[in-house]
Amino acid sequence: MEEEIMQTDRTEGMTIGTSASMLGVHEFSLLARIQKGEIETKRARSGEMLIPPDRLEKLLPDGSDTRFDNTRHTPSDQSLGIEKTKGGLKRNGIHPEQFVVPDHAVRLGEKEIESYRAAFGAIAREIELAGRLKFQLNDPANISSFAENELATQQGRWRVHSTLLNLGQSDVLLCERGFKDFAVVERFRENTPFARAHGQIQVLLEGNNPAALTNEFKGNARHTLEFMVSNAVAKAQKVAWEQFPEHRPGHVMAAISDRCRKAVANAETISESQKMNQAVNRGVRM
């Protein structure tokens, strides 16, 4: 597939997912640093973010193994939330098959669902991960971590106060030192390529108000989740338009965009969106 060639062609750059896999970090960590301007990127024609080869090499430790697992698994309709139904105008006396997908009111036809399977299937993992992280941000009580009680950084020793986010490959922690010195710290798993090159512990934010620091991190994290979803949609768009140009890719991408947007939207945003849709629908009936 063309996307696989792009991922391995170092003259073009590596996708965020492939780059994160090579570095041993979560895509969220990489995108957060891109947002802060710490990592130079370029965009593929589809709009998907790529990390240039020379920049990626600087992020890796010297002599690191740059191979990665490019194995792809085809998800089932059940795992993608696709449901088959009947409807529409009869064709040869038979109602054609139609399909219902999550968070989209309009049904998709046989050709459209073929495109949807491939396009959303390519990003299903990213959207699931984004949803899990949103759940953690909204409900910190469900966050689990195995971080030590104390962490040593270049700024000194910090005592872990609480876990703000568990990314699997790293933890984001609220730490304190003394009575008025607090920091948001990301602790990466030991011996990952990124940790070997840049240190296992990095201070993200510092201040004297733990509540303000927590709110600032959560605000930044929600923007990063939106960035993560936007990048995933660009990836899906590449599949829909390049591989299925005759299967109404605009309709397919509308369904995918609705689903992805809702994956990271907060309750207030969803409520306002529903009110707007209801107002529009009432206007249409009039």
Side-chain angles (χ1 to χ4, degrees), residues 52-73:
D54 57 341
R55 183 54 185 155
L56 183 58
E57 289 174 2
K58 291 178 181 179
L59 295 171
L60 290 162
D62 293 337
S64 61
D65 186 353
T66 58
R67 293 175 297 177
F68 60 94
D69 183 7
N70 202 32
T71 304
R72 291 173 179 270
H73 303 284

Side-chain angles (χ1 to χ4, degrees), residues 238-268:
K238 176 182 175 67
V239 176
W241 283 94
E242 293 188 4
Q243 296 183 25
F244 303 92
E246 298 180 357
H247 294 184
R248 302 177 77 191
H251 286 247
V252 172
M253 286 311 304
I256 291 175
S257 296
D258 286 349
R259 183 171 185 176
C260 293
R261 186 167 51 248
K262 189 171 181 180
V264 296
N266 55 42
E268 293 78 10

Side-chain angles (χ1 to χ4, degrees), residues 129-140:
L129 290 175
R132 290 179 186 175
L133 296 183
K134 184 194 79 168
F135 181 71
Q136 289 188 37
L137 289 172
N138 292 345
D139 193 355

